[in-house]
Amino acid sequence: MDKFDVIIVGAGLAGLSAAYVLAKEGIEVVIIERGDYPGAKNVTGGRLYVNPVRQYLPDIWDDAPLERHVTNEMVTMMSPDNSVSMRFRSDKFDQKPYHSYTVLRATFDRWLAAQAEKAGAMLVTKNRVDDVIKEQGKVIGVVTAGEELGADVVVACDGVLSFVAEKAGMIVPGQPRNFAVGLKEVIELPRTTLEDRFGLTGDEGVAQMFMGSLTQGRFGGGFLYTNKASVSLGMVVGIRDLIERKPGVEVHLLLDEFKERPEIVPLIKGGEPVEYSAHVIPEGGLAGLTPLFGDGILVAGDAAGFSLNMGITVRGMEFAIASGVMAARAIIEARAKNDFSASTLSCYQQFLENSFVMKDFRTFQHTPHVLDNSRFYGYYPQFAGKLLEDLYTVDSGPKAKISDTIRKNLSLGESLRMGKDLLGGLKI
Ligand SMILES: Cc1cc2nc3c(=O)[nH]c(=O)nc-3n(C[C@H](O)[C@H](O)[C@H](O)COP(=O)(O)OP(=O)(O)OC[C@H]3O[C@@H](n4cnc5c(N)ncnc54)[C@H](O)[C@@H]3O)c2cc1C
């Protein structure tokens, strides 16, 4: 069979970052992607924090096709008939180098693939990897389009629910509680309309998170990111809650209802939907990570479970980029020893442990448990909305004291439960 130094399965951020670094070292690397082009099948909310990954791909950021730098953060808690929002804008976030950007993956991944190809990587699209070839327990290649291709190392960058890692015997299919499903629409708006509507100047952008009744009490929430001339609007719902909570719902209907909310309608009015996508997200945190290396194989990005819901933000893209680069560095080290065994490739785990990737996963290891609390998606948004409604209502009779209004809305039992949730929240 044809043999390459390295085969990378999946031209997402993990695969392309690994390929870029390997190709720059003169290593013969082929990326196999099932989509029509890189980014065709990739879904993100999408906001990318650049600071953690600047050093991993230092020479790409000046020319990268990023959308808007995020200067405005907004959180909205929704009840069926009201909502409470907090908007935060920072001059610090408006200073170069900008710390986070909105991105459109169809554009960004295609561009990154072009950089990897320029560096010497081979990209094969419209080809799915259907199997992994093993010899005496060691991965020695893959099967695609009925052909066997060999490699010293195969890097599984095929995203969440990695077929390659499963076929290599490294993971068993995951638990529903470790995954969520996300739906997203990209809605185009004229640039000036968008900037007026969101109160933005130049390339400033806004990142907005929503929680509460939009998921009907289920784990998850909504998001809206402004791109140059479009918004990315979507929602994420935990798969276990979707299976177990009755009555059942269809996520696409939840998204339709979300788009009809009075908070959303004026933001997308007159816009043209140009993209609709759905994707699974790893939500298991540290406990949901797969084994990262084996004989002749490394696992990076979502395939390894490197996506982290931190409560106020979702991060996956920079973990994909950094883990892809560290997988490449591990391969470079293994090549120097001409040894691609698990024991040599285990330096990948060490690189990750010493980096922000594993450090962040360890710091936020309790987040999945803390967020697995239906009160965040039901009780708290309703409490906040009702309290503010009562505080701001002036009826025909005398007005109650502010402290009495708070007491009326917050029973002793509820304040004790709130205290318990707050204590739990201190773990994250
Ligand atoms: C709705 C949603 C919102 C999100 N929001 C954010 C956010 O705002 N910020 C953030 O940082 N992260 C976010 N994430 C997470 C982030 O998108 C992922 O962590 C990131 O895309 C992972 O990159 P990856 O390269 O590991 O995998 P992917 O981008 O999924 O790439 C995997 C690639 O492998 C290919 N592939 C799969 N199987 C095969 C096969 N058998 N053969 C060949 N090719 C194959 C796929 O076509 C794909 O191109 C979000 C995710 C979702 C779904």
Side-chain angles (χ1 to χ4, degrees), residues 8-16 32-49 103 105 109 124 127-131 144 156-164 180-184 209 223 225 234-236 277-282 300-304 306-308 313-321 323:
I8 294 174
V9 186
L13 294 182
L16 294 169
I32 305 175
E33 166 58 44
R34 66 180 173 175
D36 288 353
Y37 56 88
K41 291 201 176 272
N42 302 350
V43 184
T44 197
R47 176 237 292 265
L48 173 68
Y49 291 93
V103 289
R105 294 289 297 277
D109 290 19
V124 181
N127 262 265
R128 199 183 61 206
V129 166
D130 294 316
D131 210 345
T144 179
C157 297
D158 51 336
V160 62
L161 306 172
S162 170
F163 174 80
V164 172
V181 63
L183 292 187
K184 177 181 136 181
M209 307 294 270
F223 57 84
Y225 296 100
M235 69 192 310
V236 170
S277 51
H279 210 275
V280 173
I281 314 176
D302 269 12
F306 283 134
S307 188
L308 197 57
T313 191
V314 174
R315 293 172 62 195
M317 289 190 280
E318 64 262 27
F319 295 128
I321 292 172
S323 61

Side-chain angles (χ1 to χ4, degrees), residues 336-355:
K337 297 180 182 163
N338 195 25
D339 174 4
F340 304 98
S341 64
S343 103
T344 303
L345 290 173
S346 67
C347 62
Y348 171 50
Q349 172 111 34
Q350 211 43 58
F351 295 159
L352 288 162
E353 292 287 352
N354 294 340
S355 73

Side-chain angles (χ1 to χ4, degrees), residues 98-149:
Y98 302 127
H99 93 303
S100 83
Y101 286 89
T102 54
V103 289
L104 289 168
R105 294 289 297 277
T107 314
F108 186 79
D109 290 19
R110 232 170 171 172
W111 175 85
L112 188 55
Q115 309 315 304
E117 282 187 286
K118 253 188 247 166
M122 276 171 279
L123 172 67
V124 181
T125 54
K126 301 181 196 169
N127 262 265
R128 199 183 61 206
V129 166
D130 294 316
D131 210 345
V132 167
I133 309 167
K134 285 174 98 176
E135 198 177 79
Q136 294 169 349
K138 179 182 185 305
V139 173
I140 58 157
V142 299
V143 179
T144 179
E147 263 186 68
E148 295 194 338
L149 300 179

Side-chain angles (χ1 to χ4, degrees), residues 402-416:
I402 289 175
S403 54
D404 286 345
T405 308
I406 295 172
R407 262 197 294 275
K408 189 188 98 187
N409 278 279
L410 190 61
S411 66
L412 179 63
E414 282 304 347
S415 33
L416 289 174

